């Protein structure tokens, strides 16, 4: 099986970039688990909320458009 999860794929890319001489200073990601992986690799990382991992709002929920629009 050659499938890698997103965190392991990105860990491999990070290591390859470092081996090639790149000095990575900061990572940004919309997945908190991947940010944790970057921290494990001694790389500062910022979580950027994208909404991708959040369930869509229900009809009439707080983010629903006001009536008449």
């Amino acid at each position: 099986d050659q499938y890698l999860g997103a965190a392991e794929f990105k860990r491999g890319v990070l290591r390859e970039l470092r081996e090639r001489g790149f000095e990575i200073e900061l990572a940004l990601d919309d997945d908190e688990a991947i940010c944790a992986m970057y921290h494990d690799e001694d790389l500062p990382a910022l979580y950027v909320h994208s909404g991708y991992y959040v369930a869509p709002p229900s009809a009439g929920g707080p983010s629903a458009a006001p009536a008449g629009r």
Side-chain angles (χ1 to χ4, degrees):
D1 186 358
Q2 295 184 359
Y3 173 78
L4 290 178
E8 288 309 308
F9 174 80
K10 290 182 180 188
R11 183 187 314 269
V13 170
L14 174 62
R15 289 179 177 175
E16 184 175 329
L17 288 170
R18 285 176 165 171
E19 288 171 5
R20 292 180 182 214
F22 288 90
E23 295 182 25
I24 311 301
E25 296 183 9
L26 177 68
L28 306 172
D29 209 287
D30 67 343
D31 185 331
E32 291 176 325
I34 293 175
C35 287
M37 176 278 297
Y38 285 131
H39 292 147
D40 289 344
E41 293 291 322
D42 296 320
L43 178 64
L46 293 176
Y47 169 76
V48 179
H49 180 74
S50 68
Y52 182 80
Y53 296 99
V54 178
S58 61
S63 62
R69 291 196 181 185

